[in-house]
Amino acid sequence: MSIGPGPGLGSPRTPLDIANLFTRKLSHFAPLSASDQDYLDALTSADEHYPADVDIMKEGSPPSSVFVVKEGIAVRYRMLPDGGRQIMTFLIPGDSCNIHVFLRSAMTHSIGTLTPVRIAPISRDQMMETFANRPRISAALWWSGLQEMAILRERVVSLGRRDARGRIAYLLCEMLWRFAAVGQTNGKSYRLPLTQTELGDALGLTPVPVNRILKEFRLAGFIAMERQVLNVLDCPALQTIAGFDESYLELGGASSEVEHYFNALEAG
Amino acid sequence: MSIGPGPGLGSPRTPLDIANLFTRKLSHFAPLSASDQDYLDALTSADEHYPADVDIMKEGSPPSSVFVVKEGIAVRYRMLPDGGRQIMTFLIPGDSCNIHVFLRSAMTHSIGTLTPVRIAPISRDQMMETFANRPRISAALWWSGLQEMAILRERVVSLGRRDARGRIAYLLCEMLWRFAAVGQTNGKSYRLPLTQTELGDALGLTPVPVNRILKEFRLAGFIAMERQVLNVLDCPALQTIAGFDESYLELGGASSEVEHYFNALEAG
DNA sequence: CGTAGGCTTGATTCTTGTCAACCGCGGTGG
DNA sequence: CCACCGCGGTTGACAAGAATCAAGCCTACG
């Protein structure tokens, strides 16, 4: 049971009226009670604003706090001595960052904004309390971490064995699924306010091929772009180009076995 | 405080007489008591053998159990429709796999052996009990997962922004540090029984450039190879080629703050 | 002794990077 | 109000790096 190509897409089991995107994302992983949802609302009630193209956390420094992205797009990235930049992860609304902060010494990469970003900082104590008292939320966070790993591994596959066309096709689909998981998509379209240089930095490409292939996809009728909103017209075609036929995002809901585990935790 | 280039390499805080490589690895992350170490010995006492070039777990099927690699080299990998293979992770002695098994539905990749492998399977119940009763081991596993993530992110950087030379140089160093962390290195050399095709599958390269660049490194005096043991003669040179100057492996020990957290857990 | 797999190497092709120029838009300042 | 400027998108020409193709060699193994 996964959100992705095929049945299930666009119909999360969670009601769409969950305003908090973080909550919405986590509810894909574990059944959250109303109390859990209220708790998460309170947890992410703080607000912090950053302009575009600014570092939130710098490589080498100890992470100051956990945070959840509420609006805008941020990235984990690393600069190389030769001036190159590699974007490792896109952080979109609903994504959390440094949940493990209390075990971290120094950052091995920076986190920066691509667009203006609004985040909810969460203190270490709040995280500890959450892990101690909210088993369902903890389990959802745990599983969310697994999803992050799966996405990262998929990125390795992309960069290692797909050509430029396949990488772009895959990224476009991945972002569609991720935005869909937090209800930020209109069926097949979503806002992607990134420059082609930024896409290239995530894909291991330079802006020139990114531009050419996006044009090719546009001409082929696979996608349409206007005013920073991307419209995925032919997702199956893109998947074929990317060379895969399944969803590897692990956005699936909890299995009955897992639910049993949650209940045991809460009872104890 | 990290194992890696610079001070600290080859002098883990853990006595080298810890026979169990899993224990040895985990003790880098958290201070394990003698009782913890005995517990881990018991946990990994079972033995299962696999020949080379065999799948331990197949993509699409639910993971059967957690396991720890005790001997040999395994990989997480994915086959692509065009026949290409991407190796995502090398699993070397001391590495664990699917610690999160109880939350997993279906594998998004396969796990296979490159050499004959000996593993210790661990049941779900054993893992649950460990998480419930062994806070220090749990914390070490948690941190170990963070290291796995850091390694994956570094792989993304490699595949995305380093050329063939840089990728190979980096991998050689990474493996040196990882083998050093489990005491499987003679100062600067370690056994790397991989074919050039397998290296290429991890590096996003074909065997031909792998061969040529290894030869180049040999001629330059950066490395030496004989009988599957690799000798890193000039690690700094390789790091320069890879274009980095720090350790990103997060092999560091626990900070005092973290230790405090362990103690709180144990007291409670 | 023969074979298969892996290593090595050369020649060639193709993808992507690099360099360079132009366009169009939005913001800024005169 | 308009000219200027800078950034991002677009496009072409060219170069470089890796893939591909192909062949020979060596070693382990049956």
Side-chain angles (χ1 to χ4, degrees):
Chain A
M1 188 83 78
S2 300
I3 289 191
L9 183 132
S11 57
R13 68 186 59 196
T14 303
L16 280 172
D17 59 352
I18 296 181
N20 188 321
L21 298 188
F22 186 46
T23 306
R24 190 181 292 189
K25 181 182 171 190
L26 290 188
S27 63
H28 286 298
F29 300 121
L32 300 180
S33 67
S35 158
D36 285 332
Q37 297 184 15
D38 292 343
Y39 181 91
L40 284 172
D41 284 344
L43 194 66
T44 60
S45 59
D47 249 340
E48 228 169 71
H49 290 259
Y50 290 87
D53 298 313
V54 152
D55 275 348
I56 295 179
M57 308 182 102
K58 280 206 169 59
E59 180 178 341
S61 61
S64 48
S65 73
V66 182
F67 68 80
V68 171
V69 177
K70 299 166 87 170
E71 204 180 322
I73 297 183
V75 289
R76 299 177 192 270
Y77 75 94
R78 160 102 52 77
M79 297 303 301
L80 278 85
D82 66 5
R85 174 173 73 164
Q86 178 62 42
I87 291 176
M88 304 162 175
T89 317
F90 287 108
L91 297 169
I92 70 173
D95 284 341
S96 56
C97 173
N98 297 341
I99 290 297
H100 330 282
V101 65
F102 57 93
L103 282 179
R104 225 23 166 328
S105 44
M107 298 278 292
T108 61
H109 57 269
S110 300
I111 296 179
T113 63
L114 298 186
T115 71
V117 160
R118 191 162 54 92
I119 67 175
I122 305 177
S123 74
R124 173 177 313 207
D125 288 345
Q126 286 176 301
M127 283 313 304
M128 304 275 276
E129 192 208 318
T130 303
F131 283 122
N133 302 325
R134 295 286 170 166
R136 284 195 177 94
I137 294 176
S138 301
L141 286 172
W142 184 262
W143 204 337
S144 172
L146 288 188
Q147 184 201 37
E148 200 179 325
M149 269 224 158
I151 292 175
L152 212 48
R153 279 196 275 259
E154 196 56 43
R155 194 170 294 284
V156 168
V157 172
S158 244
L159 295 174
R161 283 292 177 229
R162 291 201 248 260
D163 62 12
R165 226 175 311 274
R167 290 182 205 177
I168 294 178
Y170 177 76
L171 183 68
L172 264 25
C173 293
E174 178 198 316
M175 294 308 265
L176 175 62
W177 303 324
R178 287 177 62 185
F179 277 113
V182 286
Q184 298 296 87
T185 164
N186 230 333
K188 290 296 190 184
S189 65
Y190 55 95
R191 218 175 100 78
L192 193 69
L194 306 179
T195 68
Q196 296 176 347
T197 301
E198 287 160 350
L199 288 174
D201 284 346
L203 295 163
L205 298 170
T206 51
V208 178
V210 172
N211 180 294
R212 292 192 169 124
I213 290 164
L214 284 178
K215 178 188 175 186
E216 182 189 324
F217 285 177
R218 256 182 281 132
L219 293 180
F222 298 156
I223 60 171
M225 303 183 67
E226 39 179 341
R227 324 277 262 75
Q228 301 190 320
V229 355
L230 183 100
N231 204 325
V232 180
L233 304 172
D234 193 346
C235 194
L238 292 181
Q239 288 173 229
T240 303
I241 290 171
F244 85 17
D245 40 357
E246 275 188 79
S247 166
Y248 297 101
L249 292 187
E250 301 201 20
L251 281 175
S255 69
S256 60
E257 213 162 349
V258 178
E259 292 194 33
H260 178 270
Y261 170 63
F262 298 151
N263 296 334
L265 273 179
E266 196 160 60
Chain B
M1 190 82 77
S2 300
I3 288 192
L9 185 134
S11 56
R13 67 188 59 199
T14 304
L16 280 172
D17 58 353
I18 296 181
N20 187 319
L21 297 189
F22 185 46
T23 306
R24 190 182 291 190
K25 181 183 171 187
L26 290 188
S27 64
H28 286 298
F29 299 123
L32 300 180
S33 67
S35 158
D36 285 331
Q37 297 184 15
D38 292 343
Y39 181 89
L40 284 172
D41 283 345
L43 193 67
T44 59
S45 59
D47 250 338
E48 230 169 68
H49 290 258
Y50 291 87
D53 299 313
V54 153
D55 274 349
I56 296 178
M57 308 182 104
K58 280 207 169 59
E59 180 177 343
S61 61
S64 48
S65 73
V66 181
F67 68 80
V68 170
V69 177
K70 299 166 88 169
E71 205 179 321
I73 296 185
V75 290
R76 299 177 193 268
Y77 74 93
R78 160 103 55 76
M79 297 303 300
L80 277 85
D82 67 4
R85 173 172 72 162
Q86 179 62 41
I87 291 176
M88 304 161 175
T89 317
F90 287 108
L91 297 168
I92 68 172
D95 284 341
S96 55
C97 175
N98 297 341
I99 289 297
H100 331 283
V101 66
F102 57 93
L103 283 179
R104 229 8 167 338
S105 44
M107 299 276 294
T108 62
H109 58 269
S110 300
I111 297 178
T113 63
L114 298 186
T115 70
V117 160
R118 189 162 54 92
I119 67 175
I122 306 178
S123 75
R124 174 177 313 208
D125 288 344
Q126 285 175 302
M127 282 313 303
M128 303 275 275
E129 193 208 318
T130 304
F131 282 123
N133 302 325
R134 294 286 170 166
R136 284 196 178 93
I137 293 176
S138 301
L141 285 172
W142 185 263
W143 204 338
S144 174
L146 288 189
Q147 185 201 35
E148 200 179 326
M149 269 227 160
I151 291 174
L152 256 184
R153 279 197 273 260
E154 196 56 44
R155 194 170 294 283
V156 168
V157 172
S158 244
L159 294 174
R161 284 290 178 231
R162 292 202 247 260
D163 61 12
R165 224 176 310 275
R167 291 182 206 178
I168 294 178
Y170 177 77
L171 183 69
L172 265 25
C173 293
E174 178 197 317
M175 294 307 265
L176 175 61
W177 303 325
R178 288 177 63 186
F179 277 112
V182 285
Q184 296 297 86
T185 163
N186 231 333
K188 291 294 190 185
S189 66
Y190 55 96
R191 215 174 101 77
L192 193 70
L194 307 180
T195 69
Q196 296 176 347
T197 301
E198 288 160 349
L199 287 174
D201 284 345
L203 294 164
L205 298 169
T206 51
V208 178
V210 172
N211 180 294
R212 292 193 166 123
I213 289 163
L214 283 178
K215 178 189 175 185
E216 182 189 322
F217 285 176
R218 259 182 277 128
L219 292 179
F222 298 156
I223 61 173
M225 304 183 67
E226 40 181 338
R227 325 278 261 77
Q228 301 189 322
V229 353
L230 182 99
N231 204 323
V232 179
L233 303 172
D234 193 346
C235 193
L238 293 180
Q239 289 174 228
T240 302
I241 290 171
F244 86 14
D245 40 357
E246 274 185 81
S247 166
Y248 297 101
L249 293 187
E250 301 203 19
L251 283 174
S255 69
S256 60
E257 215 163 345
V258 178
E259 293 194 34
H260 178 270
Y261 171 63
F262 297 150
N263 296 334
L265 273 179
E266 196 159 63

